[in-house]
Every structure is written in structure tokens, then in C-alpha cells.
Amino acid sequence: MKNDLVCAHIDKLVASHDSSVENVIIYIGEQQTTMGTEDSGDMRFPHRSDDSILNCPNSLSEKVAGVAMSSAGSMFKPSNRADPFFGSGWDPLISLSQGENFGGSSVVPRGDFSNPAYPVGLENQAGSTTSHLVHYGEMMPKLPCFVSGSFAEMVNSFGLPECGQVPSSGCPPNYPQNKEGGTEKASTNGAHSQEEDGASPKWRRKRRASESHSPFSSNKNAEGEHDRDPSGDSSEYAKEQDGKKQKNEHNIGLNLRGKQSGKQAKDSSNSGEAPKDDYIHVRAKRGQATNSHSLAERVRRERISERMRLLQELVPGCNKITGKAVMLDEIINYVQSLQQQVEFLSMKLATVNPEINIDIERILSKDVLHSRGSDAAILGFGPGLSSSHPYSQGSLPNIASTTQPFHPMPQVLIPRFHDI
Amino acid sequence: MTAQQSPNPSSLRTRFTYRFLRALKELNKHRSATSWPSYRRVKVAADASMAAAVKSRRAWTRAVLRKIRRGHRSPRWNRPLATRELRRKIRRNHGGNPRKIRGSHGDFGQTNELRKLVPGGESMEISSLLGETAHYIKCLSTQVQVMRDLVDLYSSTPTS
């Protein structure tokens, strides 16, 4: 197998130090280009590298994968920049053996594509490395196009700005500015923020590109929409957590290279899905209709159900209710009761209002701003002010219960507030 | 002590309270000795203060402000709706997306009900209607809280 050859070669090359990486990269790069000329070469290479990686010793596997990552860019020119790889800017690298470190650190973006064995490779390294890499590792399955971004960050620490620019040139233009923000977050937050940052460039990217789209049916069509589809595919893979990693790699390769071919048709037919062309990009999941109308319907329904969930939290006592009709009834009842309460309270205020000295209003405004919860206890309010008061028409008894003589005059109230 | 001791100067609640108190003061000032401010005016003041506190960021506040301004321009103290206004109302109801009213599978009647309740909800899509409802509920509950506190304070403070 070719990869066994690669492994063997890398084995020899790893023995030497500084220049070895350079040779390795160039070698693998050559390998990659030859394989890339085949139609399914890109698809198959990572796959094979998975197997071979498992077979090869750990360091070798890391090397192969790391190089695979670089070769996926295929514009990677490490010629005289391999030296920075050896930890000029990255302390953990220096601490560990260089060859393994490089492979180990760079394997992460690609590692998660293949199988979960890669986290094992992660743990081999120093803790400080792991903290970086874990984030990258978490990030990887989510947004393949973002891999290039994270890779760019790592590479930048190595002093390889070119790699960072490679994906940006491949990806649509506004991706780089999102990438920086995202990569910063990668080192601080977890995968969650990565997802969001990954998501936001997707949306923005798609909004600008949306006009050129047309529904991409699952039947292969080699028509002119391909130029946007790989970015669409790769962006929407962020939503998918299934094992279509090969297509991820494939699409990234396409993204980075910007080549269009019938591979897309194959990809989409393989996945049986079609990207939806709209301002909000949704990918049809497996087994779901891929008609653009039904997708739009599904988006709408999801939005509506999301809002219903929000409302469910707002309306008290609706946690157990499932079903739009009952929920809507509850919401309507709640709104009606709130409006009735406002009316009732305004009536009360209208009767009570004239009795109040205008000066007091100023002072009392602070009371009103403060009075909630525990303040009610301090000020001697009754239970009527508890915010957990059920909305059922209970305002009358509550107000009646708070008419206890409330001796603190406004002047007395002020010191109390200062205590708080 | 709970966390809600110092008023957030820019929270919805503070903004509404200030506006409402000022409106109440206005009402108190302008009322003649004999005529008490009708509760309707207080209610309108409350709604107006709430809508003004939210500004025009929401569709329902815009609708409320529109309604109030129209009410101010032609003040109608309990006069029945003129036929022209009635016709306009009916026409607006029909023109306001009847298709959408029907098109929501499975919540027909309730949707219409909700539209009637939420100001400005006549001509809105279901999704935006739900969003507006959520914000409206939040503001309504704030309003109720503040007004209840005011009533309690007013009623329990002994007047000299």
C-alpha cells in the first residue's frame, strides 16, 4: 500500500531531525498530488491513512496525519519554513521530542476525522499541549473548513502564515476575519464557542453567496452551482456529526483548491442530502425530504417551536405542557390575565392616587424600584409582592392583605435603603 | 440581601417606573379638583409609559404608540366607533394576512385570539407573533409588578 511506503519513508526520515520534516512534507506532498489526480484519491487517502495510521506506530501515524493535513492544502510550501515547526514559538514542542511533537500537535485537526483513537495520541503529550489540542480536537469535527483556520493559528505560531492564507483564499472572502476571532476563542473556550464562531462565518458566507444558489438535488447534476456547493457542504458539515469524514476532507480539499468536479455530485448522492439555498442554510438530514419547500417549511416550523419553547419558560406552570394547541391556550390565558391585572391595578391606582402627596412620589419611586422579594420583607410588605404569585386572578386578596399599617414614613424608608 | 438591591438604571423596570410616575404626576396635576382621573387614563398612561420605555424596537410598542397618538388626536370619551373607523378596522383585519391566519396548521383559532390580544398582532407571521408575545408578556409582567408595588405603597402609606 502506498501509505505503508509512506510510513516506511517517514520512519527513516524521522530519524534525522531538522530537515526531516521538510523532506517528509515534500515527499508526502508529492504523494498526495499523484493521488489527487485520481478522482476519488482525495476521498480515499484519508481513509486509507486511517487504517495505516492505526497500523503504524503512534509517532508515525501522527506524522502521516500531520502531513496529510498539510497535503490537503496542497498549496503548502514548507520548503524553508519547516524549521519553525520545531517549536520556535511553541514551548511544548521543545520540551518533548521534536518529531513526535510535531506530528502529535499537528495531528489533531485531522485526527478526529478518522477515528476517536486520536485523543489517545493527544494524551501522550504534555498537559500544556493537550489544552491547546483538545480544543482543536473538539473543534475539528464541527467545522472542517474551520480546521484550516485552527491549523492556521497553529501554523502561525510556527511561523507559517502562508497556511493561514491558504484556506482563506479558498474559502469565501469574509471567512478570514471570522477565523481569527474564532481561533482566539478556540484557545479560551471550548467547542461550543467554536461552533458558534464557525456558525457565524457560515451564515455570513452563505448570505453573500445565496443568490447564486439553486436547489441541489440529490441526483447528480454537474451544472454550474458547484462553485458554491463545496463551501456549503463543508459549512453544513458542522451540523453533522456522522461519519462522513471522508467527504469532509474531500470538501475541504475542494474548498482549498477551489476545484469543481463531479465529486460533488457523488458526495451529495452519497450523503443523500441536498443543501438548501436560502439565507438560512439547513441541511436535510438523512431520511428527510429534500424538497426546497419542505426544507423551508421545516425551518419555519423549527423557528416556531423555538419561540414556543421560549414562551413556555415565560408562562408559569407550563413546563409539562407539550403540544402547541394547549400551549397557545395557556399563553392566551396568561396574556389575558395580565391585561386584566393591569386594568384592575390602574383602577386601584386611580382611586388611591389623588391621596398621595406629590413630593412623596419622588421618594417613593426609589421604593418601587427597590421593592421586590426580600425588600418586601424589610419594608413590611405582605406576601402580595412575591413574584411567584400565580397569575390567576388573585390580585385582590393580595392587595387586601398588604393594607397593614405601614409605619415607616418615607423618611424612614430612606435609611433602610441605605442599609441595603 | 438578594442581588436586586440597587436598581439597574437602565433596566426596563426602572425606565417604566420613572415614566409611569411622571405620567401619574401629570395626571394628578392636571386633574381638576372635582373630576378624578378615570382609571382609563391611568391605564393608558401605564401602557404608554411601557411602550415608551421600550421605544419602538418592537412591533407591539409601535402599535401601542400609534394607537395612543391616534387616541390623543381625536379624543373620544366613550363615544362609539364611527362607521368609518369600524370599516377600517374590518378591512384591516381582512387584509392582514388572512392566508397566514389560516395557514398555520393546527392552531387556527388560538392564533387569531393571540393576535387580538397582542397589540399590532393582526398582520404578523406566526413566528414573529410568538416573539412579540414573549416580549409583550415580559413587559406586561413588569408593568403589573410595578403597578402593584405602587398601589401597595400608596395604599399603605398613611397620608398626613
Side-chain angles (χ1 to χ4, degrees):
Chain A
M1 284 292 289
K2 266 192 238 180
N3 269 18
D4 294 340
L5 283 179
V6 167
C7 286
H9 279 283
I10 292 173
D11 220 356
K12 289 182 213 157
L13 293 172
V14 167
S16 57
H17 281 294
D18 280 314
S19 56
S20 65
V21 175
E22 181 180 336
N23 297 340
V24 164
I25 291 164
I26 295 175
Y27 177 79
I28 298 298
E30 289 169 0
Q31 279 280 45
Q32 184 53 23
T33 46
T34 55
M35 294 197 300
T37 51
E38 312 169 13
D39 253 7
S40 51
D42 281 346
M43 257 170 52
R44 273 193 257 126
F45 174 65
H47 187 61
R48 264 181 291 144
S49 76
D50 298 345
D51 306 335
S52 65
I53 281 163
L54 290 176
N55 297 337
C56 290
N58 216 7
S59 59
L60 278 185
S61 67
E62 293 164 351
K63 276 247 174 286
V64 170
V67 168
M69 163 183 66
S70 60
S71 58
S74 96
M75 291 186 231
F76 190 82
K77 293 198 174 58
S79 47
N80 50 359
R81 295 188 189 88
D83 295 340
F85 275 104
F86 285 101
S88 59
W90 217 19
D91 296 333
L93 280 186
I94 296 173
S95 64
L96 300 177
S97 77
Q98 289 174 342
E100 286 193 11
N101 281 354
F102 164 62
S105 58
S106 57
V107 80
V108 177
R110 281 307 191 244
D112 279 3
F113 286 140
S114 43
N115 53 40
Y118 277 111
V120 173
L122 275 182
E123 276 129 31
N124 288 346
Q125 316 191 9
S128 53
T129 332
T130 316
S131 63
H132 288 277
L133 299 176
V134 163
H135 294 305
Y136 294 134
E138 288 168 9
M139 181 171 63
M140 283 319 111
K142 309 281 164 56
L143 185 52
C145 195
F146 213 76
V147 165
S148 339
S150 69
F151 177 50
E153 187 191 354
M154 277 195 335
V155 159
N156 283 335
S157 70
F158 295 141
L160 269 171
E162 206 175 276
C163 286
Q165 285 148 22
V166 160
S168 65
S169 61
C171 291
N174 65 343
Y175 180 72
Q177 52 261 37
N178 300 326
K179 170 194 63 182
E180 267 90 33
T183 49
E184 280 161 3
K185 286 204 185 126
S187 44
T188 54
N189 303 335
H192 181 57
S193 67
Q194 276 309 317
E195 275 184 62
E196 291 169 342
D197 295 332
S200 60
K202 267 188 309 186
W203 296 151
R204 259 174 270 157
R205 214 184 329 151
K206 272 314 181 177
R207 286 213 180 96
R208 296 202 189 160
S210 58
E211 58 277 1
S212 65
H213 277 259
S214 68
F216 193 99
S217 66
S218 55
N219 314 333
K220 312 158 197 110
N221 56 343
E223 265 110 36
E225 311 304 321
H226 289 307
D227 44 358
R228 290 302 180 189
D229 285 330
S231 55
D233 288 349
S234 65
S235 65
E236 277 134 43
Y237 276 125
K239 297 183 180 292
E240 308 272 1
Q241 308 263 344
D242 53 9
K244 302 200 168 75
K245 306 286 170 50
Q246 301 130 18
K247 294 190 192 59
N248 286 350
E249 285 241 357
H250 170 58
N251 280 325
I252 286 166
L254 288 174
N255 240 345
L256 297 177
R257 283 186 244 128
K259 285 188 203 149
Q260 316 310 324
S261 63
K263 291 181 225 178
Q264 269 120 337
K266 233 189 280 182
D267 278 349
S268 60
S269 65
N270 284 344
S271 60
E273 304 160 353
K276 175 188 175 308
D277 310 314
D278 201 353
Y279 287 94
I280 296 180
H281 282 268
V282 173
R283 172 165 285 268
K285 301 210 170 74
R286 282 179 70 103
Q288 290 187 334
T290 57
N291 190 11
S292 68
H293 290 300
S294 51
L295 280 173
E297 265 299 309
R298 183 142 32 88
V299 167
R300 183 172 161 272
R301 258 180 279 140
E302 279 171 9
R303 213 185 312 167
I304 289 179
S305 52
E306 183 187 318
R307 304 254 167 100
M308 292 285 294
R309 260 178 274 136
L310 277 175
L311 280 171
Q312 207 169 10
E313 289 162 25
L314 273 182
V315 179
C318 282
N319 303 328
K320 306 175 190 101
I321 295 180
T322 49
K324 270 206 288 187
V326 187
M327 193 60 220
L328 272 178
D329 279 336
E330 282 295 311
I331 292 169
I332 289 173
N333 285 341
Y334 188 52
V335 171
Q336 275 174 344
S337 83
L338 280 180
Q339 286 176 341
Q340 284 170 1
Q341 280 185 356
V342 167
E343 282 209 27
F344 180 78
L345 285 171
S346 65
M347 274 198 293
K348 279 233 100 182
L349 267 180
T351 57
V352 164
N353 213 9
E355 306 165 359
I356 302 303
N357 195 357
I358 293 177
D359 301 328
I360 296 184
E361 270 185 16
R362 285 278 178 225
I363 302 164
L364 290 181
S365 69
K366 294 200 193 93
D367 295 354
V368 174
L369 298 175
H370 282 278
S371 63
R372 256 305 76 161
S374 67
D375 277 339
I378 292 171
L379 298 173
F381 285 174
L385 288 182
S386 71
S387 49
S388 58
H389 158 63
Y391 66 87
S392 61
Q393 320 281 331
S395 53
L396 180 55
N398 281 316
I399 291 180
S401 68
T402 56
T403 52
Q404 42 191 317
F406 173 54
H407 81 88
M409 298 297 293
Q411 295 83 10
V412 180
L413 286 169
I414 298 169
R416 290 199 179 191
F417 284 120
H418 289 327
D419 289 343
I420 299 162
Chain B
M1 303 297 164
T2 63
Q4 180 134 6
Q5 301 314 311
S6 57
N8 182 2
S10 63
S11 78
L12 174 70
R13 188 144 165 250
T14 15
R15 295 200 306 264
F16 167 67
T17 315
Y18 280 134
R19 281 185 191 265
F20 188 43
L21 284 171
R22 260 181 258 142
L24 283 181
K25 215 160 48 125
E26 292 287 320
L27 278 178
N28 277 344
K29 240 188 272 180
H30 291 319
R31 68 173 177 88
S32 60
T34 52
S35 81
W36 295 65
S38 66
Y39 91 94
R40 209 182 151 73
R41 276 192 245 191
V42 174
K43 176 170 176 295
V44 166
D47 291 338
S49 330
M50 180 50 87
V54 183
K55 306 275 159 46
S56 295
R57 288 196 302 261
R58 286 279 172 171
W60 70 267
T61 58
R62 295 195 285 270
V64 165
L65 291 170
R66 267 201 309 266
K67 213 184 303 182
I68 290 175
R69 282 193 203 117
R70 243 179 311 144
H72 274 179
R73 244 181 280 134
S74 60
R76 31 192 183 90
W77 312 111
N78 303 325
R79 79 175 156 93
L81 280 174
T83 44
R84 186 155 45 109
E85 285 168 352
L86 267 174
R87 248 185 266 136
R88 205 184 309 146
K89 243 191 163 180
I90 293 168
R91 202 183 328 130
R92 201 174 348 121
N93 277 349
H94 277 306
N97 296 349
R99 185 176 60 83
K100 288 206 176 91
I101 291 175
R102 256 183 311 212
S104 68
H105 322 278
D107 8 63
F108 307 82
Q110 289 124 330
T111 316
N112 294 346
E113 275 293 317
L114 195 56
R115 285 178 195 278
K116 285 187 230 160
L117 283 179
V118 176
E122 306 288 337
S123 52
M124 265 200 265
E125 262 193 325
I126 303 294
S127 57
S128 45
L129 178 68
L130 291 179
E132 294 289 318
T133 309
H135 191 259
Y136 186 55
I137 285 179
K138 186 178 95 160
C139 293
L140 268 185
S141 42
T142 313
Q143 201 174 344
V144 164
Q145 274 177 19
V146 171
M147 289 174 72
R148 194 180 290 140
D149 292 350
L150 272 178
V151 166
D152 289 339
L153 283 173
Y154 282 179
S155 60
S156 44
T157 307
T159 54
S160 50

